Amino acid sequence: MIGRLTTPRALALLVVALVVMAVMIAMGRWQYGVYDDHQRADAMAVMRRAAVPLDAALGPDQAFPSASVGIPVVVSGRYDRPDQLYVRHLAGSKDTYAVVTPLLTGSGSAVLVVRGSASATRAPAARGPVRVVGILEPSQSQPSSVDNRRVTDGLWLPGLVSRVRPDLYSGYVVLTRSDPAEALARVQPPLPDPSRWAGLRNLLYAVQWWIFAAFVGFMWWRISTDDPAEVAAAPDATTDQSGRVAS
């Protein structure tokens, strides 16, 4: 069989098959890129909705609803400055901290606000009334603890309840703008999960192109491994078993 795959005919067909397969694989990658763009655009569209009041998306004693992940909210209150926290890595770098300050709302509970990033564990929050617009996120799932400098590795809200005096909402807000304006560098909120249907047609096209490429490879192998003698000896469809031409 190996000898059949190295004949001039098989090698010539291999070159043609590889070119065709490369084009099909490239077309599949392009369609997958379009699918990925649709997915990202759909997720970004969620974050670009008009902001709704926090309590319309998440009540102070409510479990976090899946429909509220990544939506813009607006909330007013006063920062609880003594209970401020500093989160490693959330700001996207090991050299900076995400500055997280509880915002006391009219409900009597507080929502954690990721105000921005800082290189040191000192970033005083504004005094007086504040209006915050930001992206609502659920508690992180990885358990984390708070050290004596009020530094933590994540926003795992069940573990922060005992380190913050007011009751906490079951989610936190990544600030995008506020009044008065926030001086800290912004922390980018994570993209919400897009709709499973966004760009689905392009994903199917990508899979289709890759199946075609695999079929071309299979056909090259099939043609190259066929025994010419067996093909020549195969009965002709126009003759009967005795070799006579069928009428």
Side-chain angles (χ1 to χ4, degrees):
M1 180 180 294
I2 295 179
R4 296 175 191 171
L5 296 178
T6 56
T7 62
R9 174 175 174 271
L11 293 176
L13 288 175
L14 176 61
V15 172
V16 175
L18 289 176
V19 171
V20 174
M21 291 171 67
V23 172
M24 291 180 172
I25 290 172
M27 290 297 294
R29 288 174 61 88
W30 173 67
Q31 288 289 352
Y32 188 83
V34 176
Y35 162 74
D36 196 51
D37 290 342
H38 279 299
Q39 288 275 291
R40 183 175 179 82
D42 186 79
M44 293 293 293
V46 174
M47 299 171 62
R48 290 172 179 156
R49 296 176 185 172
V52 300
L54 173 63
D55 285 348
L58 177 66
D61 298 314
Q62 180 184 2
F64 199 101
S66 59
S68 294
V69 176
I71 68 171
V73 295
V74 57
V75 56
S76 298
R78 293 175 178 267
Y79 282 127
D80 178 17
R81 292 159 55 96
D83 285 330
Q84 184 161 283
L85 301 163
Y86 301 89
V87 185
R88 299 185 188 94
H89 311 309
L90 190 66
S93 170
K94 64 180 181 180
D95 299 322
T96 59
Y97 299 93
V99 182
V100 181
T101 311
L103 183 68
L104 293 169
T105 70
S107 68
S109 297
V111 61
L112 295 180
V113 176
V114 181
R115 294 169 41 223
S117 63
S119 57
T121 55
R122 180 170 177 79
R127 298 180 183 274
V130 178
R131 183 177 184 271
V132 169
V133 178
I135 303 301
L136 185 61
E137 298 292 338
S139 170
Q140 295 180 340
S141 58
Q142 185 67 32
S144 56
S145 58
V146 181
D147 65 21
N148 293 331
R149 297 183 304 148
R150 301 194 65 78
V151 174
T152 180
D153 288 326
L155 285 177
W156 183 55
L157 296 180
L160 299 178
V161 171
S162 62
R163 303 304 301 265
V164 178
R165 287 172 295 178
D167 291 334
L168 292 177
Y169 282 75
S170 60
Y172 63 94
V173 175
V174 182
L175 183 148
T176 55
R177 64 181 186 273
S178 68
D179 184 19
E182 181 59 64
L184 296 175
R186 296 286 180 267
V187 171
Q188 292 299 319
L191 286 176
D193 292 333
S195 167
R196 69 182 66 180
W197 308 111
L200 179 61
R201 181 174 61 179
N202 299 99
L203 177 62
L204 295 177
Y205 285 157
V207 173
Q208 184 181 55
W209 279 114
W210 293 332
I211 291 174
F212 287 164
F215 182 72
V216 169
F218 168 76
M219 289 304 298
W220 169 82
W221 174 84
R222 182 67 183 271
I223 293 171
S224 299
T225 55
D226 278 343
D227 188 343
E230 293 178 356
V231 174
D236 192 326
T238 63
T239 62
D240 61 18
Q241 293 182 348
S242 63
R244 292 174 301 178
V245 177
S247 59

